[in-house]
Amino acid sequence: MILPWTIYADGSAVPNPGRMGLGAVLVAPDGTRHLLSMATDARGCNNEAEARALMAALRDAQARGATALQIYSDSSLLVAQLGARDEPPVLRLAALYEEAQALLATFAQTSLHWIPRHKNGEADALARAALGLLPKRLAMSTKKRRR
């Protein structure tokens, strides 16, 4: 039985579209955690950032010898585009999703799941940190309140 790695991936674009930050948490079958936080040179939208974050995580997992993956993302579009066979393609992002699909195909087993945003907080914080931003909870709490 192949024990899967777990990936939590998230991307940010600031502004949207704008600079893209990629974040991911990779958890090996033995529980070892690997964090990914990087900015891209390219500009793009949040959906592009989500796909690029997943692809960066897939490449990292591949380099670490992973062969089976359980992947979690809070992007319903990403999960639908990569997981559903009858989902109509988003033409503007089709090449990016094809590249992600090709990377997924290099693993013996993969499963892709949508999770609510609040359950993907660590990957989101890593994506934001790549852009020099605070995690959303801290950013929200430091804003001045109107009276």
Side-chain angles (χ1 to χ4, degrees), residues 5-146:
W5 284 59
T6 303
I7 293 177
Y8 295 89
D10 204 1
S12 291
V14 178
N16 188 19
R19 297 180 316 133
M20 291 186 290
L22 316 179
V25 178
L26 292 86
V27 184
D30 68 2
T32 305
R33 295 164 43 85
H34 306 277
L35 305 180
L36 176 81
S37 180
M38 60 191 290
T40 68
D41 293 333
R43 297 176 59 81
C45 70
N46 63 316
N47 293 317
E48 184 177 351
E50 296 276 3
R52 291 187 184 280
L54 173 60
M55 290 190 299
L58 293 174
R59 287 183 189 104
D60 192 322
Q62 197 171 46
R64 295 177 188 282
T67 58
L69 304 173
Q70 288 183 332
I71 305 161
Y72 298 93
S73 172
D74 59 31
S75 170
S76 57
L77 179 65
L78 178 74
V79 172
Q81 290 292 299
L82 297 179
R85 298 284 179 233
D86 58 346
E87 189 69 24
V90 175
L91 296 180
R92 186 177 61 77
L93 300 171
L96 197 58
Y97 291 139
E98 286 174 14
E99 186 179 347
Q101 199 66 269
L103 275 169
L104 285 167
T106 65
F107 294 89
Q109 283 180 281
T110 60
S111 62
L112 181 61
H113 310 277
W114 176 84
I115 56 172
R117 184 159 293 161
H118 71 275
K119 291 190 175 186
N120 205 25
E122 189 175 10
D124 178 69
L126 291 165
R128 291 177 58 83
L131 298 173
L133 302 172
L134 292 171
K136 284 184 183 167
R137 287 186 184 177
L138 289 176
M140 303 271 277
S141 68
T142 60
K143 288 184 180 177
K144 293 183 180 179
R145 292 190 177 150
R146 290 185 171 188

